[in-house]
Amino acid sequence: MQAEQKYIFVRGKTLMSNREKLIVLTLVSFILAVFFWMSYWELLKPEDIKKVLGSTSNRAGLLSMLLPMIFMLIFIIFVQLAYRKTRLIVDSKGMFLEWPPGSVFAKFKFLEKKVSWTDLQHATHLTSFEAVQLRSKGSSVPWGIRLRDWKIYSVEIPQDALGDKKIDLLSVLREQGIFETLSKDPRLLAMEFDLMKHPVTRKLLLVTGVLLAYCFVDVFMQHEGWAFFNEDYLLPHIAIAVMATAVLAWAALKTEKHEQAPIGITVVVLAIAGFSFLVASYVSGIRLNQLVGGPLISAEYHRDDKCENLIPVENNLPVVEYTSMTKDYWCSVKADEVFLVKVRKGLFGLYQFDLREQTKAIRDYKKKL
């Protein structure tokens, strides 16, 4: 390409790649799942939100907390809308993001960027994200460019030299030879790794997905829970998760050298798989106790003086621990009133409770308030 040749690109219609859509969908799904579980366990209730919004002091505090985020969101939207008016110029010397002549922002150099090919340290083409990142020498902030955002506007090049060649931003950047002469940014290599295409990470993710799907379904089907959430009840599941992770790590390292995934990515996926084994062990342990543990018996309990726990009449049975959220209900009943709580003694002396009756009574009480 000759020095006087110049390509001018303008912003086209902004579209997300499949990977970007997947990231957004995962984030939204996670947020919705958090709200669902908070609502299911009554940690987030419409009446509580109404109480917060109904108080003047609460509204003021909430507004003072949200205002900085609102202003930041407005600024980001403004920058994105303004950014659509810029144009990208590529020639043999470098690349320049500028405002068109006559723009009010051109005078203040707002959003303008410039990079020289001779100053580049890394040039990385992220195929999965359809993006390019350029990092100059001595610069801590890289320049990321989404290829699909830009379309050709004009070309300052002899028409006979252009011919019928299709021009896009990636092909123009390739003509500069930056991807051949410069190395990829090593910090971005993990972003290009496709977890579902590599045989090792794909199998680990499938195992993780199956375990978490089982946990999600089984939690809704069973009605019992461990009596305590302490080291005696957690250590067996932690041990099982550690052993399962060790076996998976051994299997991953035993694969052929050319089939091994990068060690950093393998460690992260193994950690996720280990956590899924921990959760699955905790959930399935309850089910196992139901099948091979002792019978589910109705034992007599009464509340303590602090209205926080249910104390068994028989000393060998476990205490039912409640949070302060249920204190109003337990204080509304007499201290000597007897409640029947369903208890099961399972393997290794670990207890489970079926507290559906007590939970229903608490919910009915709160609905009447």
Side-chain angles (χ1 to χ4, degrees):
M1 182 182 291
Q2 300 174 359
E4 65 272 10
Q5 295 172 353
K6 183 186 295 185
Y7 296 86
I8 301 176
F9 293 86
V10 294
R11 292 275 292 191
K13 186 177 180 180
T14 301
L15 298 171
M16 289 191 296
S17 65
N18 291 334
R19 181 167 288 198
E20 289 170 332
K21 291 178 182 177
L22 180 61
I23 292 173
V24 172
L25 178 62
T26 302
L27 179 61
V28 172
S29 301
F30 175 77
I31 295 174
L32 291 177
V34 170
F35 277 101
F36 173 78
W37 280 108
M38 291 181 69
S39 301
Y40 181 79
W41 293 108
E42 296 190 338
L43 298 175
L44 179 67
K45 295 179 290 186
E47 53 267 28
D48 293 335
I49 298 176
K50 291 178 181 179
K51 287 180 182 179
V52 172
L53 297 178
S55 171
T56 305
S57 59
N58 287 335
R59 282 202 304 268
L62 185 63
L63 185 62
S64 63
M65 181 180 65
L66 292 179
L67 272 179
M69 292 186 285
I70 294 174
F71 283 130
M72 181 61 68
L73 180 61
I74 293 174
F75 177 75
I76 292 174
I77 294 174
F78 167 75
V79 169
Q80 290 298 317
L81 292 176
Y83 185 54
R84 295 182 181 182
K85 303 297 182 181
T86 57
R87 61 183 191 175
L88 197 64
I89 300 175
V90 184
D91 58 24
S92 60
K93 296 180 181 179
M95 187 163 59
F96 185 37
L97 181 70
E98 67 169 17
W99 294 96
S103 172
V104 66
F105 297 111
K107 181 179 179 181
F108 303 100
K109 307 296 182 181
F110 179 64
L111 285 181
E112 290 188 348
K113 297 179 182 179
K114 186 176 183 179
V115 63
S116 172
W117 303 138
T118 57
D119 291 336
L120 277 183
Q121 181 180 11
H122 296 295
T124 309
H125 176 209
L126 299 170
T127 308
S128 300
F129 289 93
E130 298 182 38
V132 170
Q133 190 200 78
L134 306 177
R135 185 181 291 273
S136 299
K137 299 173 184 176
S139 175
S140 59
V141 181
W143 187 359
I145 305 162
R146 283 177 25 127
L147 297 170
R148 60 172 58 201
D149 289 348
W150 298 96
K151 63 180 182 180
I152 192 69
Y153 175 70
S154 65
V155 184
E156 296 183 8
I157 181 175
Q159 191 65 31
D160 56 349
L162 181 59
D164 297 329
K165 182 175 61 175
K166 181 182 178 182
I167 298 178
D168 56 35
L169 181 55
L170 180 60
S171 64
V172 171
L173 292 177
R174 288 191 185 281
E175 287 185 24
Q176 310 304 320
I178 57 175
F179 299 115
E180 290 75 19
T181 58
L182 298 171
S183 62
K184 294 183 177 181
D185 193 334
R187 285 165 287 194
L188 298 177
L189 296 181
M191 295 178 63
E192 278 296 280
F193 187 83
D194 196 326
L195 296 173
M196 290 305 295
K197 287 184 178 179
H198 195 280
V200 174
T201 54
R202 181 176 65 247
K203 292 175 183 177
L204 289 174
L205 289 177
L206 288 176
V207 169
T208 300
V210 170
L211 290 175
L212 293 181
Y214 157 72
C215 294
F216 186 83
V217 173
D218 198 26
V219 163
F220 282 99
M221 293 176 60
Q222 64 187 0
H223 303 291
E224 296 183 28
W226 295 112
F228 297 108
F229 193 77
N230 56 30
E231 60 181 17
D232 292 335
Y233 284 73
L234 284 176
L235 280 178
H237 309 296
I238 294 175
I240 291 174
V242 170
M243 288 188 292
T245 305
V247 172
L248 290 178
W250 174 82
L253 294 176
K254 286 289 290 183
T255 57
E256 297 293 334
K257 195 70 176 179
H258 67 279
E259 291 186 353
Q260 289 184 3
I263 187 63
I265 293 175
T266 303
V267 169
V268 173
V269 177
L270 282 173
I272 297 174
F275 175 76
S276 67
F277 270 103
L278 173 63
V279 177
S281 176
Y282 189 88
V283 173
S284 61
I286 298 174
R287 181 69 68 187
L288 181 63
N289 264 2
Q290 288 178 326
L291 297 175
V292 301
L296 190 65
I297 63 172
S298 294
E300 295 183 345
Y301 279 75
H302 60 85
R303 72 165 176 84
D304 62 2
D305 295 335
K306 295 182 179 179
C307 305
E308 293 181 353
N309 301 316
L310 294 183
I311 310 299
V313 175
E314 298 182 22
N315 294 331
N316 61 324
L317 294 177
V319 174
V320 182
E321 298 178 348
Y322 276 96
T323 66
S324 58
M325 297 176 62
T326 63
K327 191 170 184 177
D328 291 343
Y329 169 75
W330 293 117
C331 285
S332 68
V333 300
K334 298 178 180 180
D336 58 351
E337 186 173 345
V338 174
F339 298 91
L340 293 179
V341 177
K342 294 179 179 179
V343 187
R344 185 193 304 275
K345 185 177 182 180
L347 297 173
F348 312 111
L350 303 180
Y351 285 92
Q352 295 175 205
F353 291 128
D354 184 344
L355 299 174
R356 279 180 290 176
E357 295 181 9
Q358 287 71 32
T359 301
K360 183 179 182 302
I362 293 171
R363 289 179 176 176
D364 293 341
Y365 172 80
K366 288 185 176 182
K367 289 179 181 178
K368 296 177 182 179
L369 295 179

